[in-house]
Amino acid sequence: KINKLKASGDWTVYVDQRQLDKDSTLGILSDSEAAGGGTDGRTWRVGAGYNVNKSFALNGTYYTGERGIGSGGTVVKRNRLMLDLGVKF
């Protein structure tokens, strides 16, 4: 992650990769955005954010991943785009 959104005109970008192996934890405890929740998946996350002013921020995050990477079965691909609008008051 580069930079933080604090003042007007601030920006941030981030990239990370998550992999949760089959049966490594309880599926209900995993992140639902990463490969759709559950275990046995790998996900890349790429995002950016911009502070329009000190009380209004825009964020976008793209997730791309796959489930079933260690099961020997069919691998299911998953893509998701999330756009967020943040307002402080």
Side-chain angles (χ1 to χ4, degrees):
K1 188 171 187 175
I2 299 173
N3 226 348
K4 291 190 179 204
L5 299 178
K6 291 185 178 179
S8 179
D10 285 353
W11 57 271
T12 184
V13 292
Y14 48 90
V15 175
D16 69 25
Q17 188 262 344
R18 305 170 185 188
Q19 180 169 329
L20 196 55
D21 294 328
K22 184 177 180 181
D23 298 328
S24 61
T25 187
L26 291 174
I28 60 171
L29 300 176
S30 66
D31 184 6
S32 64
E33 274 83 27
T39 62
D40 196 24
R42 178 183 310 121
T43 302
W44 281 91
R45 179 177 74 151
V46 179
Y50 179 73
N51 247 8
V52 177
N53 58 39
K54 73 177 196 177
S55 60
F56 186 72
L58 301 170
N59 290 290
T61 307
Y62 179 70
Y63 295 88
T64 182
E66 50 196 16
R67 294 194 61 180
I69 59 173
S71 62
T74 304
V75 174
V76 178
K77 303 226 181 243
R78 179 181 169 100
N79 296 305
R80 175 180 278 187
L81 176 64
M82 295 177 68
L83 301 173
D84 298 309
L85 176 66
V87 178
K88 292 182 192 177
F89 52 92

